[in-house]
Each structure stands twice: as structure tokens, then as C-alpha cells.
Amino acid sequence: MDDTGLLIDRVNAIHPSSPDAEDTLMDGYAHALALEAERNRLEHRFAVLAQAAAEDREGQRLQELRSLRQRISSVDDELVRLRDVLTAVRRRLVAGAAAAAAENAF
């Protein structure tokens, strides 16, 4: 399983009363930012390579362009999966905290 998959499993396993719930969510958001940075680097490289490929009559850069496009797509998929899980778990934690506060108020 990849790093994102492992992190998603960790985030999904968070219990609202867990003392490390916030740290785990922060790890998730930090990983999401790292994926965004990777995507930006890949897209920049893709743009540079696309410009060079446009000037390349032999098509030597086309395979690298294809590879970069696939990697960008893969990173986008990972990012969407991770952000969906982070959002759902954050909502679950907020709801759990609100329920605990209401229970303690009585």
C-alpha cells in the first residue's frame, strides 16, 4: 500500500476521543499539501517538456510527456481521495466533540 493509502487508513481509524486525533488530521493535511506541491512540480516540468516537444521534430520527448501526464493524474487521484477522507473524518470528529460537550453539560 502506498503512503497515501496508509495515511487514509490511519485517518479513517481516528476515534473522536483519541488524544492524537488532531495530530493525525494535521499529518493528513500536510501530506495533501505535499501532494499539491508534487503536482505543481510535475505540471511545471510537463509545460517545459511540452514546449521542447513542440520544437522537437523527432518526438523523443513524447514518452516522458505521457509519463508525466499519468503521474499528474495519479497525484490528482490521491489528493482527491485524501481530501475526501480528511473532510469526512474532520466532520465526524467535530460531531463527536459536540456530542461529548452536550453530554457533559448535563
Side-chain angles (χ1 to χ4, degrees):
M1 183 175 280
D2 63 353
D3 290 344
T4 302
L6 293 172
L7 184 57
I8 286 172
D9 287 348
R10 271 184 51 213
V11 170
N12 273 326
I14 294 173
H15 188 273
S17 65
S18 174
D20 65 340
E22 287 185 28
D23 289 341
T24 303
L25 274 180
M26 284 193 302
D27 289 347
Y29 284 111
H31 190 74
L33 289 173
L35 287 173
E36 288 175 349
E38 180 181 358
R39 183 183 61 201
N40 288 339
R41 283 189 302 274
L42 291 168
E43 287 176 343
H44 176 74
R45 175 67 183 144
F46 186 88
V48 168
L49 195 58
Q51 178 63 37
E55 298 165 2
D56 180 9
R57 303 251 185 253
E58 297 174 21
Q60 296 173 345
R61 293 181 174 91
L62 291 179
Q63 182 57 37
E64 187 177 355
L65 279 170
R66 286 185 194 104
S67 177
L68 281 170
R69 186 72 254 159
Q70 288 174 333
R71 183 62 188 135
I72 290 167
S73 180
S74 175
V75 169
D76 282 342
D77 291 346
E78 286 181 56
L79 191 53
V80 167
R81 280 186 14 235
L82 179 57
R83 287 206 178 275
D84 287 348
V85 168
L86 288 169
T87 298
V89 170
R90 182 173 37 88
R91 285 182 183 143
R92 189 178 76 216
L93 291 175
V94 168
E103 193 174 289
N104 291 332
F106 294 105

